[in-house]
Amino acid sequence: MSMLHDFAVWLAHSPLNAAVTARGWIVPEVQIVHVVAIAAVVIAAALINLRALGVMDTGRTRQAVLAAWYPVMLGAVAVLALTGFLLIASEPGRALFRTVFWVKLGLILVALVVTGAQARAADGGPSRLLAVVSLLLWITVIWAGRWIAYAEGWPGAFS
Amino acid sequence: MLEDIADYLATTPLAMAMTDSTWLFGAVEVGHVVALTLVFGSIALVDLHLIGLVERGRESHALIRRLLPLTWGGFALAAITGSTLVFANPQGYFANGFFRAKIIALALAGINVVVFHRFVQPRSMAPGALAPRVSGAISLVLWLCIVSFGRWIGFTI
């Protein structure tokens, strides 16, 4: 907690914070890039998992769809990590001190592993279960992200 | 006229529910974000394909047909959740420049879809044809505007 506090104080006084708060339009525009990248993750997750469920693109194998779209998902998550870091830098006292933010980070890791695990799952039962879990996880990630704006911060948190 | 509609909407039970609850607006907003990522993601994929950047060599009609349920399902959810959000502050949204611009961009995107289905798709879908690429580029720009304006509403209302 105190390390996190020190990090937030350092970030609040960093040139990065000065840069992203220099103009009022920067944070909204970074958020827009963040939302567009979320759309890329969602569409990749939808294509991979709906194929695994056998309801879409059945002309191609599950593995082919995964091979085409999992890299897109990883690339979009990289963009999300970068834009997300910029958003944290703009207001270090916000996300870092809310439980729902750390829940979100954990869910992203689990969702990436579950989606990627489709490559090794056999056709049918296991892959269908993974597909449903993966879709639910990504929706929960979006919920957690939006909820950072509504959740209470930890008591005594840096601001 | 618009003010009268906004004033009326503000007196409805839904408006009361949206303003009284501490979590309802956020919950509807989550639904709106999920919906918009489905709409924008599937439309952007078709647009980028029409422009010739992704899924090259795959048949356009089949790609569009395959994605249509995602686009329309997402659009229906976005329209329902979006309309519900308006009830939280009808006067504020109706007077907001980004909200108005977003509605106009949505209407233009709708016209673009009609033009594409009626005139472009039945004729010139050969690889490299200009009309589909223009349709895709117009659609992509309009939907980027729609998503951007939507995010800006939150900062200006």
Side-chain angles (χ1 to χ4, degrees), chain A residues 29 31 57 60 146 150, chain B residues 25 29 58 66 151-152:
Chain A
E29 292 298 331
Q31 285 193 4
D57 210 4
R60 285 203 286 185
R146 194 66 286 244
Y150 296 97
Chain B
F25 187 89
E29 220 181 2
R58 297 196 88 197
R66 204 163 60 233
R151 190 63 290 236
W152 270 104

Side-chain angles (χ1 to χ4, degrees), chain B residues 22-145:
Chain B
T22 52
W23 56 267
L24 188 57
F25 187 89
V28 177
E29 220 181 2
V30 171
H32 198 62
V33 174
V34 172
L36 88 86
T37 56
L38 277 175
V39 178
F40 179 80
S42 60
I43 288 178
L45 177 53
V46 171
D47 293 341
L48 291 171
H49 169 75
L50 290 175
I51 295 169
L53 293 174
V54 297
E55 302 267 4
R56 297 172 89 145
R58 297 196 88 197
E59 218 260 309
S60 297
H61 291 285
L63 180 79
I64 292 167
R65 236 190 346 264
R66 204 163 60 233
L67 287 168
L68 266 184
L70 284 186
T71 311
W72 280 114
F75 187 81
L77 184 61
I80 294 167
T81 52
S83 310
T84 306
L85 293 173
V86 169
F87 279 80
N89 181 3
Q91 292 100 338
Y93 282 105
F94 282 17
N96 182 280
F98 283 108
F99 179 78
R100 293 176 168 204
K102 179 178 177 178
I103 299 298
I104 292 168
L106 276 166
L108 292 175
I111 293 170
N112 188 54
V113 168
V114 172
V115 170
F116 177 76
H117 282 293
R118 290 206 53 171
F119 301 106
V120 178
Q121 212 178 6
R123 290 171 207 171
S124 52
M125 290 299 281
L130 184 63
R133 306 180 82 158
V134 173
S135 282
I138 292 174
S139 168
L140 192 58
V141 170
L142 283 172
W143 280 98
L144 278 170
C145 286

